[in-house]
Amino acid sequence: MTRAARRDDLIAAALELFSTRAPEDVSVEDVTARADVSRALFYRYFASVRELRVAALRSVVDGLLARLAARAEGTPYDRLRAAVRALAEVAAEHRAGYVALVRSGSAIATSETNAIVDEVREAAVGVILADAGITDPSPMLLTTLRCWTVVVEGALLTWLREDGLEQGKLDAWLVDQLLAMIGATERHDPDTVISSVFHPPRRRT
């Protein structure tokens, strides 16, 4: 097995363990037992279990960023819905890692993990601004978009934990939330005029 493959196995073992307990409760012994390797081998790849936790979260974020970068076809509204749908799919695929990534008050939260989370938020904001053709957003618009990314995180977290929301309706509902927030911003900020870009296409009668 290659060095990269062995490292990936350790990360996969950590993510599996995250599905049954909080990341801060997962020890080196837990990971080595799940991956069926020795402690000595573990320390060839990671200096500490905290470093492994960050690497595991990094792997989830890389998946989220890759899906955001893969732009869909269609109108800006269609592409925005597709981006939200892609985030939900990656979150579901890496359920435990995603929950660990965004849940508040985690003992593993550090400046490094916070920066990792911010990468996804800023990438999502960048997608919206690019589709709107805006290169210099007003402070109020930027605040609006960043707040919406937190709404998305909270909605996906609730969806993953409680299964009370239908995935098929999640993306349209979250995009409608964004349009409502942008509409409120436009009423208070004359420099923000982008809601028309993301209006859903009219249904044919």
Side-chain angles (χ1 to χ4, degrees):
M1 181 178 291
T2 66
R3 181 176 178 83
R6 177 63 74 186
R7 185 178 186 276
D8 288 344
D9 277 354
L10 290 168
I11 290 174
L15 288 172
E16 288 176 12
L17 290 165
F18 291 168
S19 66
T20 58
R21 69 189 79 169
E24 59 268 26
D25 293 334
V26 174
S27 66
V28 172
E29 289 74 18
D30 295 326
V31 176
T32 55
R34 178 60 63 93
D36 193 24
V37 300
S38 66
R39 283 177 60 91
L41 190 143
F42 174 92
Y43 285 111
R44 290 182 188 175
Y45 297 92
F46 299 100
S48 65
V49 70
R50 179 175 289 275
E51 183 178 307
L52 172 61
R53 291 170 188 153
V54 172
L57 299 183
R58 175 81 259 174
S59 71
V60 176
V61 167
D62 286 345
L64 293 169
L65 293 175
R67 294 300 295 272
L68 281 174
R71 308 300 296 280
E73 299 295 328
T75 66
Y77 177 83
D78 293 332
R79 291 196 295 272
L80 188 55
R81 282 193 61 177
V84 175
R85 194 178 308 121
L87 290 178
E89 290 169 355
V90 174
E93 181 181 351
H94 302 285
R95 176 185 295 253
Y98 184 84
V99 171
L101 182 70
V102 302
R103 67 191 181 90
S104 61
S106 173
I108 66 170
T110 64
S111 59
E112 185 173 7
T113 57
N114 288 338
I116 290 174
V117 173
D118 283 343
E119 281 187 55
V120 179
R121 294 171 179 164
E122 291 305 308
V125 169
V127 166
I128 298 168
L129 293 175
D131 273 339
I134 295 175
T135 58
D136 187 23
S138 71
M140 189 172 286
L141 174 59
L142 202 54
T143 300
T144 299
L145 300 182
R146 286 171 174 164
C147 287
W148 178 73
T149 65
V150 178
V151 171
V152 173
E153 290 171 6
L156 292 181
L157 197 60
T158 300
W159 170 60
L160 291 173
R161 283 177 159 178
E162 301 179 8
D163 296 323
L165 298 172
E166 294 182 34
Q167 183 176 359
K169 296 180 179 179
L170 198 58
D171 57 303
W173 175 67
L174 284 170
V175 171
D176 284 348
Q177 293 276 354
L178 173 61
L179 295 180
M181 292 174 70
I182 289 175
T185 298
E186 287 179 334
R187 290 193 293 274
H188 293 272
D189 181 13
D191 293 327
T192 297
V193 187
I194 70 168
S195 61
S196 60
V197 175
F198 295 105
H199 277 170
R202 293 183 178 179
R203 295 179 180 177
R204 294 181 179 178
T205 57

PDB file of all heavy atoms in Angstrom, residues 35-60:
ATOM      1  N   ALA A  35      -8.429   1.115  11.921  1.00  0.00           N
ATOM      2  CA  ALA A  35      -7.644   0.963  10.694  1.00  0.00           C
ATOM      3  C   ALA A  35      -6.763  -0.283  10.710  1.00  0.00           C
ATOM      4  O   ALA A  35      -6.140  -0.608   9.694  1.00  0.00           O
ATOM      5  CB  ALA A  35      -6.775   2.202  10.484  1.00  0.00           C
ATOM      6  N   ASP A  36      -6.705  -0.951  11.876  1.00  0.00           N
ATOM      7  CA  ASP A  36      -5.894  -2.161  12.042  1.00  0.00           C
ATOM      8  C   ASP A  36      -4.420  -1.886  11.749  1.00  0.00           C
ATOM      9  O   ASP A  36      -3.775  -2.576  10.946  1.00  0.00           O
ATOM     10  CB  ASP A  36      -6.413  -3.285  11.137  1.00  0.00           C
ATOM     11  CG  ASP A  36      -5.817  -4.647  11.512  1.00  0.00           C
ATOM     12  OD1 ASP A  36      -5.400  -4.797  12.679  1.00  0.00           O
ATOM     13  OD2 ASP A  36      -5.761  -5.532  10.638  1.00  0.00           O
ATOM     14  N   VAL A  37      -3.899  -0.848  12.407  1.00  0.00           N
ATOM     15  CA  VAL A  37      -2.485  -0.508  12.281  1.00  0.00           C
ATOM     16  C   VAL A  37      -1.924  -0.254  13.676  1.00  0.00           C
ATOM     17  O   VAL A  37      -2.668  -0.134  14.649  1.00  0.00           O
ATOM     18  CB  VAL A  37      -2.269   0.748  11.401  1.00  0.00           C
ATOM     19  CG1 VAL A  37      -2.799   0.527   9.998  1.00  0.00           C
ATOM     20  CG2 VAL A  37      -2.922   1.976  12.043  1.00  0.00           C
ATOM     21  N   SER A  38      -0.621  -0.153  13.769  1.00  0.00           N
ATOM     22  CA  SER A  38       0.027   0.087  15.058  1.00  0.00           C
ATOM     23  C   SER A  38       0.103   1.580  15.360  1.00  0.00           C
ATOM     24  O   SER A  38      -0.024   2.421  14.463  1.00  0.00           O
ATOM     25  CB  SER A  38       1.440  -0.491  15.044  1.00  0.00           C
ATOM     26  OG  SER A  38       2.249   0.229  14.119  1.00  0.00           O
ATOM     27  N   ARG A  39       0.332   1.899  16.638  1.00  0.00           N
ATOM     28  CA  ARG A  39       0.536   3.299  17.018  1.00  0.00           C
ATOM     29  C   ARG A  39       1.756   3.873  16.308  1.00  0.00           C
ATOM     30  O   ARG A  39       1.753   5.035  15.885  1.00  0.00           O
ATOM     31  CB  ARG A  39       0.725   3.414  18.538  1.00  0.00           C
ATOM     32  CG  ARG A  39      -0.554   3.306  19.344  1.00  0.00           C
ATOM     33  CD  ARG A  39      -0.235   3.361  20.837  1.00  0.00           C
ATOM     34  NE  ARG A  39       0.425   4.597  21.207  1.00  0.00           N
ATOM     35  CZ  ARG A  39      -0.200   5.698  21.615  1.00  0.00           C
ATOM     36  NH1 ARG A  39      -1.526   5.717  21.703  1.00  0.00           N
ATOM     37  NH2 ARG A  39       0.478   6.782  21.946  1.00  0.00           N
ATOM     38  N   ALA A  40       2.799   3.053  16.180  1.00  0.00           N
ATOM     39  CA  ALA A  40       4.022   3.529  15.530  1.00  0.00           C
ATOM     40  C   ALA A  40       3.737   3.945  14.091  1.00  0.00           C
ATOM     41  O   ALA A  40       4.232   4.979  13.615  1.00  0.00           O
ATOM     42  CB  ALA A  40       5.092   2.443  15.564  1.00  0.00           C
ATOM     43  N   LEU A  41       2.911   3.162  13.403  1.00  0.00           N
ATOM     44  CA  LEU A  41       2.584   3.513  12.022  1.00  0.00           C
ATOM     45  C   LEU A  41       1.742   4.782  11.976  1.00  0.00           C
ATOM     46  O   LEU A  41       1.931   5.632  11.099  1.00  0.00           O
ATOM     47  CB  LEU A  41       1.851   2.357  11.342  1.00  0.00           C
ATOM     48  CG  LEU A  41       1.673   2.509   9.823  1.00  0.00           C
ATOM     49  CD1 LEU A  41       1.815   1.166   9.134  1.00  0.00           C
ATOM     50  CD2 LEU A  41       0.332   3.138   9.481  1.00  0.00           C
ATOM     51  N   PHE A  42       0.819   4.914  12.926  1.00  0.00           N
ATOM     52  CA  PHE A  42       0.002   6.133  12.979  1.00  0.00           C
ATOM     53  C   PHE A  42       0.892   7.364  13.021  1.00  0.00           C
ATOM     54  O   PHE A  42       0.672   8.336  12.283  1.00  0.00           O
ATOM     55  CB  PHE A  42      -0.899   6.098  14.214  1.00  0.00           C
ATOM     56  CG  PHE A  42      -1.676   7.372  14.436  1.00  0.00           C
ATOM     57  CD1 PHE A  42      -2.944   7.537  13.920  1.00  0.00           C
ATOM     58  CD2 PHE A  42      -1.120   8.431  15.163  1.00  0.00           C
ATOM     59  CE1 PHE A  42      -3.658   8.719  14.115  1.00  0.00           C
ATOM     60  CE2 PHE A  42      -1.821   9.617  15.362  1.00  0.00           C
ATOM     61  CZ  PHE A  42      -3.091   9.754  14.832  1.00  0.00           C
ATOM     62  N   TYR A  43       1.917   7.331  13.876  1.00  0.00           N
ATOM     63  CA  TYR A  43       2.756   8.513  14.065  1.00  0.00           C
ATOM     64  C   TYR A  43       3.725   8.752  12.906  1.00  0.00           C
ATOM     65  O   TYR A  43       4.395   9.781  12.868  1.00  0.00           O
ATOM     66  CB  TYR A  43       3.502   8.413  15.394  1.00  0.00           C
ATOM     67  CG  TYR A  43       2.594   8.694  16.574  1.00  0.00           C
ATOM     68  CD1 TYR A  43       2.237   7.681  17.461  1.00  0.00           C
ATOM     69  CD2 TYR A  43       2.069   9.968  16.772  1.00  0.00           C
ATOM     70  CE1 TYR A  43       1.386   7.938  18.529  1.00  0.00           C
ATOM     71  CE2 TYR A  43       1.216  10.233  17.838  1.00  0.00           C
ATOM     72  CZ  TYR A  43       0.877   9.216  18.712  1.00  0.00           C
ATOM     73  OH  TYR A  43       0.024   9.476  19.761  1.00  0.00           O
ATOM     74  N   ARG A  44       3.772   7.844  11.961  1.00  0.00           N
ATOM     75  CA  ARG A  44       4.527   8.124  10.738  1.00  0.00           C
ATOM     76  C   ARG A  44       3.776   9.126   9.861  1.00  0.00           C
ATOM     77  O   ARG A  44       4.382   9.813   9.038  1.00  0.00           O
ATOM     78  CB  ARG A  44       4.743   6.836   9.933  1.00  0.00           C
ATOM     79  CG  ARG A  44       5.700   5.837  10.549  1.00  0.00           C
ATOM     80  CD  ARG A  44       5.847   4.650   9.625  1.00  0.00           C
ATOM     81  NE  ARG A  44       6.600   3.562  10.247  1.00  0.00           N
ATOM     82  CZ  ARG A  44       6.789   2.382   9.677  1.00  0.00           C
ATOM     83  NH1 ARG A  44       6.280   2.144   8.467  1.00  0.00           N
ATOM     84  NH2 ARG A  44       7.474   1.447  10.303  1.00  0.00           N
ATOM     85  N   TYR A  45       2.474   9.167  10.041  1.00  0.00           N
ATOM     86  CA  TYR A  45       1.638  10.002   9.173  1.00  0.00           C
ATOM     87  C   TYR A  45       1.109  11.250   9.866  1.00  0.00           C
ATOM     88  O   TYR A  45       0.881  12.270   9.218  1.00  0.00           O
ATOM     89  CB  TYR A  45       0.463   9.170   8.642  1.00  0.00           C
ATOM     90  CG  TYR A  45       0.905   8.020   7.780  1.00  0.00           C
ATOM     91  CD1 TYR A  45       1.143   6.763   8.333  1.00  0.00           C
ATOM     92  CD2 TYR A  45       1.118   8.191   6.419  1.00  0.00           C
ATOM     93  CE1 TYR A  45       1.571   5.704   7.547  1.00  0.00           C
ATOM     94  CE2 TYR A  45       1.539   7.140   5.623  1.00  0.00           C
ATOM     95  CZ  TYR A  45       1.768   5.899   6.192  1.00  0.00           C
ATOM     96  OH  TYR A  45       2.198   4.861   5.408  1.00  0.00           O
ATOM     97  N   PHE A  46       0.889  11.164  11.160  1.00  0.00           N
ATOM     98  CA  PHE A  46       0.314  12.289  11.893  1.00  0.00           C
ATOM     99  C   PHE A  46       1.055  12.476  13.212  1.00  0.00           C
ATOM    100  O   PHE A  46       1.330  11.503  13.915  1.00  0.00           O
ATOM    101  CB  PHE A  46      -1.176  12.063  12.161  1.00  0.00           C
ATOM    102  CG  PHE A  46      -1.991  11.923  10.905  1.00  0.00           C
ATOM    103  CD1 PHE A  46      -2.371  10.669  10.446  1.00  0.00           C
ATOM    104  CD2 PHE A  46      -2.356  13.043  10.174  1.00  0.00           C
ATOM    105  CE1 PHE A  46      -3.108  10.533   9.280  1.00  0.00           C
ATOM    106  CE2 PHE A  46      -3.092  12.919   9.003  1.00  0.00           C
ATOM    107  CZ  PHE A  46      -3.466  11.665   8.554  1.00  0.00           C
ATOM    108  N   ALA A  47       1.337  13.726  13.530  1.00  0.00           N
ATOM    109  CA  ALA A  47       2.061  14.019  14.765  1.00  0.00           C
ATOM    110  C   ALA A  47       1.178  13.859  15.992  1.00  0.00           C
ATOM    111  O   ALA A  47       1.673  13.648  17.100  1.00  0.00           O
ATOM    112  CB  ALA A  47       2.631  15.433  14.713  1.00  0.00           C
ATOM    113  N   SER A  48      -0.140  13.974  15.796  1.00  0.00           N
ATOM    114  CA  SER A  48      -1.071  13.883  16.915  1.00  0.00           C
ATOM    115  C   SER A  48      -2.452  13.550  16.384  1.00  0.00           C
ATOM    116  O   SER A  48      -2.724  13.660  15.177  1.00  0.00           O
ATOM    117  CB  SER A  48      -1.125  15.210  17.681  1.00  0.00           C
ATOM    118  OG  SER A  48      -1.672  16.224  16.846  1.00  0.00           O
ATOM    119  N   VAL A  49      -3.343  13.179  17.285  1.00  0.00           N
ATOM    120  CA  VAL A  49      -4.711  12.902  16.868  1.00  0.00           C
ATOM    121  C   VAL A  49      -5.399  14.191  16.430  1.00  0.00           C
ATOM    122  O   VAL A  49      -6.266  14.183  15.551  1.00  0.00           O
ATOM    123  CB  VAL A  49      -5.492  12.197  17.998  1.00  0.00           C
ATOM    124  CG1 VAL A  49      -5.759  13.135  19.157  1.00  0.00           C
ATOM    125  CG2 VAL A  49      -6.796  11.612  17.472  1.00  0.00           C
ATOM    126  N   ARG A  50      -5.009  15.321  16.997  1.00  0.00           N
ATOM    127  CA  ARG A  50      -5.583  16.600  16.560  1.00  0.00           C
ATOM    128  C   ARG A  50      -5.231  16.879  15.102  1.00  0.00           C
ATOM    129  O   ARG A  50      -6.066  17.364  14.336  1.00  0.00           O
ATOM    130  CB  ARG A  50      -5.098  17.741  17.453  1.00  0.00           C
ATOM    131  CG  ARG A  50      -5.633  19.113  17.040  1.00  0.00           C
ATOM    132  CD  ARG A  50      -5.228  20.188  18.020  1.00  0.00           C
ATOM    133  NE  ARG A  50      -5.945  20.048  19.272  1.00  0.00           N
ATOM    134  CZ  ARG A  50      -7.159  20.555  19.488  1.00  0.00           C
ATOM    135  NH1 ARG A  50      -7.780  21.229  18.535  1.00  0.00           N
ATOM    136  NH2 ARG A  50      -7.746  20.397  20.650  1.00  0.00           N
ATOM    137  N   GLU A  51      -4.003  16.569  14.717  1.00  0.00           N
ATOM    138  CA  GLU A  51      -3.605  16.760  13.320  1.00  0.00           C
ATOM    139  C   GLU A  51      -4.449  15.881  12.406  1.00  0.00           C
ATOM    140  O   GLU A  51      -4.842  16.297  11.308  1.00  0.00           O
ATOM    141  CB  GLU A  51      -2.121  16.432  13.151  1.00  0.00           C
ATOM    142  CG  GLU A  51      -1.592  16.680  11.743  1.00  0.00           C
ATOM    143  CD  GLU A  51      -0.115  16.390  11.618  1.00  0.00           C
ATOM    144  OE1 GLU A  51       0.662  16.939  12.430  1.00  0.00           O
ATOM    145  OE2 GLU A  51       0.265  15.606  10.724  1.00  0.00           O
ATOM    146  N   LEU A  52      -4.742  14.661  12.851  1.00  0.00           N
ATOM    147  CA  LEU A  52      -5.600  13.774  12.069  1.00  0.00           C
ATOM    148  C   LEU A  52      -7.007  14.345  11.954  1.00  0.00           C
ATOM    149  O   LEU A  52      -7.625  14.288  10.889  1.00  0.00           O
ATOM    150  CB  LEU A  52      -5.650  12.386  12.707  1.00  0.00           C
ATOM    151  CG  LEU A  52      -6.673  11.410  12.103  1.00  0.00           C
ATOM    152  CD1 LEU A  52      -6.371  11.141  10.632  1.00  0.00           C
ATOM    153  CD2 LEU A  52      -6.703  10.107  12.894  1.00  0.00           C
ATOM    154  N   ARG A  53      -7.536  14.889  13.043  1.00  0.00           N
ATOM    155  CA  ARG A  53      -8.876  15.478  13.001  1.00  0.00           C
ATOM    156  C   ARG A  53      -8.947  16.585  11.956  1.00  0.00           C
ATOM    157  O   ARG A  53      -9.896  16.663  11.176  1.00  0.00           O
ATOM    158  CB  ARG A  53      -9.247  16.035  14.373  1.00  0.00           C
ATOM    159  CG  ARG A  53      -9.473  14.986  15.451  1.00  0.00           C
ATOM    160  CD  ARG A  53      -9.596  15.661  16.801  1.00  0.00           C
ATOM    161  NE  ARG A  53      -9.629  14.698  17.897  1.00  0.00           N
ATOM    162  CZ  ARG A  53      -9.232  14.964  19.126  1.00  0.00           C
ATOM    163  NH1 ARG A  53      -8.765  16.168  19.427  1.00  0.00           N
ATOM    164  NH2 ARG A  53      -9.299  14.041  20.062  1.00  0.00           N
ATOM    165  N   VAL A  54      -7.940  17.443  11.948  1.00  0.00           N
ATOM    166  CA  VAL A  54      -7.918  18.541  10.984  1.00  0.00           C
ATOM    167  C   VAL A  54      -7.836  17.992   9.559  1.00  0.00           C
ATOM    168  O   VAL A  54      -8.516  18.473   8.648  1.00  0.00           O
ATOM    169  CB  VAL A  54      -6.742  19.497  11.270  1.00  0.00           C
ATOM    170  CG1 VAL A  54      -6.607  20.535  10.155  1.00  0.00           C
ATOM    171  CG2 VAL A  54      -6.938  20.192  12.611  1.00  0.00           C
ATOM    172  N   ALA A  55      -7.011  16.963   9.358  1.00  0.00           N
ATOM    173  CA  ALA A  55      -6.876  16.368   8.027  1.00  0.00           C
ATOM    174  C   ALA A  55      -8.195  15.740   7.574  1.00  0.00           C
ATOM    175  O   ALA A  55      -8.566  15.821   6.397  1.00  0.00           O
ATOM    176  CB  ALA A  55      -5.774  15.315   8.032  1.00  0.00           C
ATOM    177  N   ALA A  56      -8.906  15.120   8.513  1.00  0.00           N
ATOM    178  CA  ALA A  56     -10.194  14.517   8.178  1.00  0.00           C
ATOM    179  C   ALA A  56     -11.200  15.587   7.768  1.00  0.00           C
ATOM    180  O   ALA A  56     -11.932  15.440   6.781  1.00  0.00           O
ATOM    181  CB  ALA A  56     -10.720  13.714   9.365  1.00  0.00           C
ATOM    182  N   LEU A  57     -11.235  16.685   8.515  1.00  0.00           N
ATOM    183  CA  LEU A  57     -12.130  17.785   8.163  1.00  0.00           C
ATOM    184  C   LEU A  57     -11.714  18.409   6.834  1.00  0.00           C
ATOM    185  O   LEU A  57     -12.554  18.795   6.021  1.00  0.00           O
ATOM    186  CB  LEU A  57     -12.128  18.838   9.269  1.00  0.00           C
ATOM    187  CG  LEU A  57     -12.612  18.375  10.644  1.00  0.00           C
ATOM    188  CD1 LEU A  57     -12.627  19.539  11.624  1.00  0.00           C
ATOM    189  CD2 LEU A  57     -13.990  17.736  10.552  1.00  0.00           C
ATOM    190  N   ARG A  58     -10.406  18.485   6.613  1.00  0.00           N
ATOM    191  CA  ARG A  58      -9.893  19.028   5.355  1.00  0.00           C
ATOM    192  C   ARG A  58     -10.390  18.207   4.169  1.00  0.00           C
ATOM    193  O   ARG A  58     -10.738  18.752   3.114  1.00  0.00           O
ATOM    194  CB  ARG A  58      -8.369  19.008   5.409  1.00  0.00           C
ATOM    195  CG  ARG A  58      -7.633  19.419   4.154  1.00  0.00           C
ATOM    196  CD  ARG A  58      -7.550  20.918   4.034  1.00  0.00           C
ATOM    197  NE  ARG A  58      -8.524  21.436   3.099  1.00  0.00           N
ATOM    198  CZ  ARG A  58      -8.735  22.727   2.888  1.00  0.00           C
ATOM    199  NH1 ARG A  58      -8.064  23.631   3.567  1.00  0.00           N
ATOM    200  NH2 ARG A  58      -9.627  23.128   2.021  1.00  0.00           N
ATOM    201  N   SER A  59     -10.458  16.887   4.340  1.00  0.00           N
ATOM    202  CA  SER A  59     -10.908  16.026   3.247  1.00  0.00           C
ATOM    203  C   SER A  59     -12.368  16.294   2.902  1.00  0.00           C
ATOM    204  O   SER A  59     -12.757  16.253   1.731  1.00  0.00           O
ATOM    205  CB  SER A  59     -10.708  14.551   3.614  1.00  0.00           C
ATOM    206  OG  SER A  59     -11.614  14.134   4.622  1.00  0.00           O
ATOM    207  N   VAL A  60     -13.184  16.571   3.919  1.00  0.00           N
ATOM    208  CA  VAL A  60     -14.591  16.901   3.671  1.00  0.00           C
ATOM    209  C   VAL A  60     -14.701  18.232   2.940  1.00  0.00           C
ATOM    210  O   VAL A  60     -15.448  18.375   1.965  1.00  0.00           O
ATOM    211  CB  VAL A  60     -15.378  16.950   4.996  1.00  0.00           C
ATOM    212  CG1 VAL A  60     -16.817  17.393   4.746  1.00  0.00           C
ATOM    213  CG2 VAL A  60     -15.355  15.590   5.675  1.00  0.00           C
TER     214      VAL A  60
END
